[in-house]
Amino acid sequence: MSHNTWVHKISHAIVVRPLLRTSATPNHLTTLRLATGIAASALVASGMPAATNVGAGLFFVSIILDRADGDLARQTNQQSKKGHNYDLIADGLCNTMIFLALGYGLLGSSYGLFAPVMGIIAGLSVSGILAYAIHLERQKGPRAGEIGGVCGFDPDDGILAVPVALWLGWAEQLLLAAAIGTPIFATMYFFYFKFLKKTR
């Protein structure tokens, strides 16, 4: 993930800058990121429109906090391997759970029993990306699994589609796109770092 995206700039302005002179630590933000991600998933899993909208809002907050914890660590010289691993794990858990929750919440939709299966496919694909990113960092060092950003956005910003789609009432379309798109992206991610990047 890049560190200078538009989302990072927003999180820096509204979260990091006010905390610079406080006792808040990056791990505090990561823990809050995890808590809001879990709460968001629970609400989305209910399948109720009002709860889903609130869950979408909490998940958006969780995304902002995900950008803020690393920024706060850099700004206050509190970077650590353990903190970075905690951040990666929290990120993977939140992004995996939201798709599992989405699938469960859509049991009553036109997808029926296929909805949880679609959520599992998307969730496992996200977990696979995280696992491989951690593997790359252990083998080649920090940020080895990073894909650079373009025009102020990076691939990780794609997760913003989740709260936006939920607010717009496009939960079913989101689940279908995730069930198809995340395995494709996971496959491309693996092949890029396994075969393409090392040849450049």
Side-chain angles (χ1 to χ4, degrees):
M1 184 196 303
S2 305
H3 292 157
N4 59 347
T5 67
W6 292 109
V7 184
H8 280 94
K9 291 175 182 177
I10 293 169
S11 71
H12 180 82
I14 66 176
V15 179
V16 177
R17 189 179 296 163
L19 295 178
L20 287 176
R21 297 183 183 276
T22 71
S23 58
T25 69
N27 283 349
H28 290 155
L29 294 183
T30 304
T31 300
L32 189 56
R33 179 323 194 235
L34 186 57
T36 51
I38 292 171
S41 297
L43 288 166
V44 170
S46 73
M48 296 184 291
T52 296
N53 284 333
V54 175
L58 279 177
F59 193 67
F60 179 77
V61 171
S62 188
I63 292 169
I64 295 297
L65 290 169
D66 176 47
R67 288 3 181 222
D69 56 5
D71 188 10
L72 183 64
R74 289 185 293 276
Q75 295 289 333
T76 58
N77 198 27
Q78 296 184 69
Q79 293 170 284
S80 70
K81 185 175 181 179
K82 286 184 179 179
H84 177 63
N85 287 338
Y86 182 31
D87 178 32
L88 280 177
I89 291 170
D91 189 22
L93 283 173
C94 289
N95 292 348
T96 297
M97 286 187 297
I98 199 68
F99 289 118
L100 296 177
L102 180 62
Y104 185 80
L106 288 174
L107 260 173
S109 71
S110 60
Y111 297 140
L113 293 176
F114 286 106
V117 176
M118 295 163 73
I120 290 170
I121 291 171
L124 288 178
S125 298
V126 170
S127 296
I129 294 168
L130 166 72
Y132 193 56
I134 292 175
H135 169 73
L136 288 171
E137 291 202 353
R138 286 178 176 170
Q139 277 199 332
K140 303 178 181 180
R143 307 174 69 80
E146 181 179 289
I147 299 175
V150 177
C151 298
F153 297 95
D154 73 16
D156 202 47
D157 290 334
I159 197 68
L160 287 167
V162 171
V164 172
L166 293 178
W167 281 325
L168 292 173
W170 298 345
E172 290 187 40
Q173 295 90 330
L174 172 65
L175 181 60
L176 179 61
I180 296 171
T182 53
I184 292 173
F185 182 78
T187 302
M188 291 172 61
Y189 183 85
F190 173 78
F191 274 94
Y192 175 74
F193 284 102
K194 183 70 175 178
F195 302 110
L196 298 181
K197 190 172 182 181
K198 67 181 182 180
T199 63
R200 294 184 178 183

